[in-house]
Structure formats: structure tokens, C-alpha cells
């Protein structure tokens, strides 16, 4: 099982009119017009983009909360999903290890450092032994919710993930940082790329935090931006 | 200005596939399949509805968070928006009284009890006097953000409001209750009706809390359901 | 009624051990020790402060969420509370205009620009007229929840407000900015000063956003820090 | 390692005046008095308790958000913490498997069904083998953040957990339910017991959801309360 295709990410749902929704939200704050009238007359993409960029630059990010994106994620380790579900402004529906019993050899991820090492075969063997013992426990009547005690962090999971654009920007800032673990960085990179494919202008906003701040505030930086004094 | 048309509500955006999204979220929790495969094979509306109803009945409401609705609201009093923005799982972009100066006679709501009373003309006069004094302050260089000190709770506002289906259900439970103030009850009723028009099966879920609980937990009930012992 | 004493703020409750709690939260993330053992051995304030400052500098602010502060606020305008309750990570219990009827001349704030202008007496007269009409409506049987339609933004309110230290830092960053309206800036200044009196080391963290970022991202800045390029 | 002492829970911090804080929050909503004056005159515990119970019965739970509790938790499996951190109104600082390397035999939990089965020795052997392979990977230069791929769900973790009383009531309702997994049920039972020891009147509010609703809404109930029709 190659890490290259893992994690697998699909964009299931996006707003009908991302830019227009944000534009109308911005205008509503500063206009005497009814928002429905602003909505009906909003047709000029360039004009809309100019206003939205100006508002975002000034840090008023609540206007992008009105756009929600829904993703299907699979082939992602439980180590990674434990990190992902810490984001409290997101919504998750995740495959349950209590109610879904793994059959035969369970699916798992292999970190690149292990894959390239001379321990890769031992790693596969270990996973096979774990799968065997998990299967033996199930056969002996141990409930799946308890037998899973032996399943490793590398066991893959599946989720439906949804979040609004403000949270996606925040997620990108934290998890595209070089200090984030490779798997979640890859996952968030794929999520952002799917959104940017739909809305290319978002390319400048779905970036690691150093690109927004102009400096790195991590204790040890990667050199992409200078450290904060 | 008649209360009948106030507040004005339009549905600007809804999920592309509401039922299917919820169904796939439900299935993902209990299935060994990848969610993208469940998504691609989900075509039978009746089967989807049956599962979703069963999951909702058992109280697992996180699965409906993946569906977001965006509304345009106007002609709603600031008294009402002060109540509305207390809902912390919703997103708002509201017309600013700091940056938008009211021109001439500002728009305002008239509660039905006042409209039907013999004080209705006095109410109109009072509003006119307030508008005049507000205008006088603006003319004399008082900034709009300070002159607004005199504007009444009845002054109307406009907002873009977005929320997911879980929060809409919660909003309905609290604000369709007979004990909620008439204006916000009317507003939420209109929001729910617009959604039910798109997704008729949601009619049973966008109801006051007593319909869900089977009893009334308010100190003084309206008689729709028996009081909780 | 002078603005000088308004808004009135008291600190009702604070953590028993603010610094120690944050220190133990930080250590827990990076230590093999049980947190209860770290807690029991944490006595050196200087050592604790050094670690906490290092962690905060690197942007890991979740560790300060474990400290909650509770404030009593009164003499604050409803215009200001409408801004305040937009902060969705805070908890509020606010005096209800539906259930509490104003008696005689209601309490109100006077923005400084009005107080210093030659319209100050007219403003007082206007407030008196509004109070009279409000009283007349109440006498005529209009419910308080509807009669309040005429009450102005300047009407004062009371609230219990609670928030954790992470949100207080965020609140300070937004609302101590010179572009925030004077009343909420004064309110948040008083809240921060009460906390700093208890925990002087927090002085460097309860500051406007420009002090953290090193630049101003507002469209029009006050000159305290250079504009972002 | 016996499950009996696991998970280990300590209450690190609680409000100075739990009942009084809630009482003042309740009174503030319905009183013309300043909250600081209500606070200073609140001395009669029985009177306070009566009002608080009445308000809670009517479902107005926002008033208990002003009380925060901080816990130290250890000896809890990563399977359990993955469930716990799904609660988005709580704050967590958790031991990192990226930055903390396990030494020798890592600490793990043993589900009671395994402990009592004839596979208990095999389970211990499996854990030993995993520990050996983890150690071998560390020795061979695999970073801890990747070597942890092999660590099982049973591996224990430590956290600082904080939440307000409203969320603790919600947590109790969901996780004291017989359908919750035994480990998180035990953890939440211990958290609630520590709070009830300080505030005995909370005994009636820190209960599974069926006790509040009067019926069971789970698909398969335990018989404690009748199923919802």
C-alpha cells in the first residue's frame, strides 16, 4: 500500500457562489441597501474581488464564514485524525472502531521514514502480527470496541469533514507549516488544492501562517521566513 | 410601514445535496466502505431518508452539521438582532450603525401591540422626533457611531446569516417556542419555511422544543404540550 | 450621569493559580510525567514564567484556555453590549429588557462627543421625552418587551461576562485597537486592568493586535505601529 | 497494571463560589439591580439554590457557563482521548506522542473483557513485542512522531482538561449513558464525582441524558428508562 495515494481526499460540496456570497457579506456591513438587492446586482467579478481582498487584508475574516466546504477523507491514520479533530470549528463524521470490525489485514499507513529504512519489512510483519491477534480476539468473542485496543496509530480511518472558509484559512496557516507532521500537512494541502481549483483567487489565503504574518513564530523555523525578533 | 412584510428573509445558498450529504455522513460512521464510494452509489432517496431519520431519532445530530444555509435578512429590529447574535454557532455580517449613517426618517419596526393600540400615532411621532434629533446631531458633526446613541431598539438592520442544519434545528427549538418574542419567532419561522420548501422532509425537525421533548419545560407554558413534572 | 464611572466593571472570580495552571498545561504536552505530579512539584514562579512565555511566543495559545475570569459589568450601553455579545467564545448573562421594566428616567450613557457639544442639553431632553413615552406605553398596558422598541441604544444594561484567558487576549487585541469604539475600548481596558492587577506578567499579552503583530492591518491606522505593506 | 486505578483523575481548579456565581448570573437577567450589588448581598444558600434550581428546570443553562473546572487526567488510553477531544466546548493540553518518546515498556490499558479472557497473557505479550519494535525503530533513528505509528490505541496518555459546568452537564448526559464505552464512562464518572464532592447539589444534574429527558432515545436502551415512542 503506497503512501502516495494516501490520504485520499474528495470535495463533496462547495457553495454555489463563493465570491459573491463573501462580497455581499462585506457590502452588507457598510451599505444602506438591503442585502438581497446587493445580491441581485452583484455581477462584476473583478469589482467583487477587489472589495473582498481589501476587507480580508484589514483582518475582518468573519465575512468568509458564510462559505462551507465538505470533504470526503479516507486512507488517513488514526494518529492524524486525532490531530485533525482537535480543530473545534470543524464538523466530523468518522468511521467508528467500536461498530466497524476490521476484516483480515487492516489498512494502515507507512510513514516515509519507515518506508525508506531497512525496517520496512519488519514494520509489515508487525502489522500482520497485530492483525492476526486482533482477528483472534474477535473470534474469541472480544467485542470490536475492546479488541481495537491493540490496533496501532497507523490504522486508517475515513471521515466526512466540513468547515467554513475562515476555518480552512486557519487550518492552512497551522497545518501547512513545515513543523506540522507530514501526513496532516499532505491532507490539508490536498484539501486546499481542491478548493483552489474551484476558486483560484483563494491561492493567496490558503497558505502557512508565516506567509500571512511575514515572519515565523515557531521555536525552530524552516527558513522560509525570518524568525520573529 | 407594515409589520406584515417584516422581517424580510431570503435563502441565498443551500447545500447542493442536503439529504445525500447527511446520509453519507451517517453511513461513514458505521461502514467499512470509503465515503466517496458511498457517495457515488447513493441514489435511492427513500432508503437514504429512512437511515437519516433513524440516526436523528437516536440523538446523533452531528451528522447534520455538514449542511449550511445562508440567509439574507432585513427589516429586522436591532432588539431582535441583539437576541439573534447570541446564538454562538451562527455566522453574521451585519449592517454597521458606526459606518452607515441613517438618512432622513430611518426605517423602524412597530410591535403589533403598539400598532393596534391608541398610541400608534404617538409612536410614529416619537420616531419622527428621534429621526430629527439624530439628523441634527449628524449635521453638527457628531460622528454616526455616537449619534446612534439616540436610535431606538426598533431601528431596523440588515444581516447575512449562515448556520448549519444542526444549529437551525436548535434555533427552531428555542425560537419557535410561544415564549419567544413575536419578531424573532416570525423571523425563524420564515427561515425554516424557506428550508422546508427545499427539503420538505425537514418539516418534522424544524419545530419548537416541546415537539421534540414531548413536554414543555418553560416556567409558564402555552398549553401546546403538557408541562414536565 | 457622567461617563467617567461608566462602564462599571468588577472581577468576581479568577483562577486559584493562574500561572501554575498554564505552566502545568504546557509541561503536560512535552513531558512523560503525570500532570498531577508536575502540579505538585511546581513552586518556582520564575521557572514557570520562563516556560510559559516561551510557549506563548511560539503561538501555542490553547494552554491559556484553562484559566477563566468572571466579570460583573454595568452602566454599559446596549449599543456596546450588541458589539460585546458578538464574541462567540464568551459567556453572558444579561439583564433582559423583556422581563425588567424601566422605572421613571432610565439610565443611559452619553458619548463624549455629545457631552462636549452644544447639543448635550437637547440630548438630555430627548432622553427625558423617550422615558416619558416609554412610561406612558407601560401605563397603557403595552408589554415591556414591546414598549422597549422606543428605548435608545444609549440605554444601559448589566451583564455577567466570563471568558478564558485566550479569549481575553483575543478581545484585547481587537477591542483595545484605536479603531474600536471608545465605550467598548474603555470596557475592555478596565477588564484587562483588573486581571493585570492580579497577574502583572499578563501586561505584555493584554494589548492591541498591532503590539503582537508588529504592524497595523487596519485600513486606516492610528500611527502607533507602521501599516502592513 | 490494573484497570482499577485507571484512568486517574484529579480536580486541579474550581470556581471560588460556584453556587453564588450562578445565582448572580440568574438574578442579573431578571433584576434592575447592578450585579455587583446582587453579588455583595448574596449570602443565603438555600434561597440561592431554590432560584438556581428553578432556572435550570426551565432549560436556561447558559447561566452555569460561568463556572469552570480544571482536571488532571492520566492513565487514559488514546482510544478514549480520541473520543474525549471530540467535545468542542472543552479545552485540552495533551501529552504529545510526537515530542515525548516512550521509554522501554510503554504504559497501556487493558479492557476488562480482555483481562478476564484467556487471551490476557497473549495481550501482554503482544504489547511487549510492540514495545520492542518501537524501541528498535527509535534506536535506528526513526523519529518518535513516525515510530509511534506502531503504538496501539491502548497506549495511555495524559491531559489537562477544562470545561464549564454547562459542558460538564452535557458530557455527563452523553458519556454516563450505558451505551458509552466503559473507559470514558469511568473517566466522566470520576470527573463528576470530584465536582459533586465539592458541590453536592450538582448530583441531580450530572446524570445520563435519560434522567433529564425521562426516556431513552438510544436505538438499543439498557432498561434504566423506557424507550421514547
Amino acid at each position: 500500500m503506497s503512501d502516495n495515494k494516501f490520504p485520499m481526499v474528495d470535495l463533496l460540496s462547495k457553495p454555489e457562489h463563493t465570491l459573491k456570497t463573501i462580497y455581499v457579506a462585506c457590502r452588507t456591513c457598510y451599505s444602506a441597501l438591503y442585502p438581497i438587492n446587493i445580491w441581485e446586482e452583484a455581477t462584476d467579478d473583478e469589482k467583487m474581488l477587489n472589495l473582498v481582498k481589501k476587507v480580508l487584508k484589514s483582518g475582518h475574516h468573519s465575512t468568509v464564514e458564510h462559505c462551507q466546504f465538505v470533504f470526503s477523507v479516507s486512507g488517513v491514520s488514526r494518529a492524524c485524525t486525532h490531530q485533525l479533530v482537535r480543530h473545534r470549528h470543524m464538523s466530523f463524521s468518522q468511521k467508528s472502531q467500536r461498530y466497524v470490525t476490521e476484516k483480515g489485514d487492516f489498512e494502515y499507513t507507512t510513514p516515509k521514514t519507515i518506508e525508506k529504512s531497512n525496517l520496512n519489512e519488519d514494520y509489515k510483519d508487525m502489522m500482520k502480527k497485530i492483525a492476526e491477534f486482533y482477528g483472534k480476539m474477535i473470534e474469541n468473542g472480544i467485542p470490536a470496541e475492546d479488541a481495537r485496543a491493540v490496533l496501532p496509530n497507523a490504522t486508517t480511518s475515513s471521515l466526512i469533514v466540513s468547515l467554513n472558509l475562515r476555518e480552512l484559512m486557519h487550518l492552512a496557516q497551522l497545518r501547512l507549516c513545515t513543523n506540522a507532521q507530514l501526513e496532516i500537512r499532505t491532507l490539508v494541502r490536498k484539501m486546499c488544492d481542491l478548493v483552489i481549483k474551484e476558486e483560484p483567487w483563494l491561492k493567496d489565503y490558503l497558505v502557512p501562517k508565516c506567509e500571512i504574518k511575514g515572519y515565523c513564530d515557531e521555536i525552530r523555523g524552516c527558513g522560509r521566513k525570518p524568525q520573529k525578533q
Side-chain angles (χ1 to χ4, degrees), chain A:
Chain A
M1 201 161 307
S2 157
D3 260 358
N4 288 340
K5 64 167 200 173
F6 277 4
M8 292 171 291
V9 187
D10 290 274
L11 178 60
L12 296 186
S13 184
K14 60 181 179 60
E16 290 168 285
H17 307 283
T18 298
L19 179 60
K20 188 172 164 178
T21 301
I22 303 169
Y23 169 77
V24 176
C26 293
R27 284 290 311 278
T28 296
C29 302
Y30 303 110
S31 168
L33 297 170
Y34 288 152
I36 187 67
N37 296 336
I38 303 172
W39 176 267
E40 280 162 1
E41 285 159 27
T43 51
D44 183 340
D45 270 18
E46 203 183 318
K47 183 186 151 195
M48 291 197 275
L49 196 51
N50 281 342
L51 180 73
V52 167
K53 282 184 172 177
K54 197 176 147 192
V55 170
L56 286 177
K57 199 183 159 199
S58 74
H60 297 135
H61 287 170
S62 60
T63 52
V64 303
E65 293 179 19
H66 304 292
C67 296
Q68 192 193 38
F69 297 87
V70 185
F71 298 90
S72 160
V73 175
S74 43
V76 64
S77 77
R78 296 265 307 181
C80 185
T81 64
H82 203 313
Q83 294 175 339
L84 191 65
V85 301
R86 288 298 312 277
H87 290 274
R88 288 166 292 184
H89 289 180
M90 292 168 64
S91 297
F92 304 98
S93 297
Q94 183 169 5
K95 178 184 165 188
S96 166
Q97 287 188 329
R98 297 185 66 196
Y99 299 118
V100 184
T101 305
E102 300 289 340
K103 311 286 183 207
D105 288 354
F106 59 88
E107 192 183 77
Y108 59 87
T109 60
T110 307
K112 286 214 184 312
T113 53
I114 297 174
E115 204 176 23
K116 292 176 184 170
S117 77
N118 56 10
L119 293 171
N120 194 26
E121 288 307 309
D122 291 356
Y123 182 79
K124 284 182 192 167
D125 286 350
M126 192 76 235
M127 291 298 163
K128 195 175 270 299
K129 276 183 199 129
I130 293 172
E132 282 165 10
F133 184 57
Y134 174 85
K136 192 177 171 186
M137 285 197 285
I138 295 294
E139 272 171 36
N140 278 266
I142 303 291
E145 67 173 19
D146 291 335
R148 72 161 168 155
V150 80
L151 291 177
N153 279 326
T155 313
T156 60
S157 189
S158 292
L159 314 83
I160 300 296
V161 175
S162 63
L163 74 177
N164 67 42
L165 183 50
R166 187 182 199 175
E167 181 61 13
L168 184 61
M169 288 177 180
H170 176 71
L171 185 73
Q173 286 186 37
L174 295 192
R175 302 296 192 174
L176 295 182
C177 171
T178 315
N179 278 345
Q181 197 162 1
L182 182 60
E183 188 180 8
I184 198 164
R185 218 189 318 155
T186 308
L187 169 62
V188 174
R189 181 72 269 157
K190 287 185 179 185
M191 290 168 68
C192 290
D193 286 348
L194 285 164
V195 169
I196 290 166
K197 200 176 152 193
E198 301 291 334
E199 303 287 332
W201 66 276
L202 284 173
K203 193 168 166 287
D204 297 337
Y205 299 97
L206 298 172
V207 290
K209 59 185 176 175
C210 62
E211 293 290 335
I212 302 291
K213 298 183 175 185
Y215 55 76
C216 171
D217 60 7
E218 292 285 305
I219 290 169
R220 249 171 263 131
C222 69
R224 183 176 180 149
K225 290 281 176 190
Q227 297 293 115
K228 192 184 183 187
Q229 293 87 337

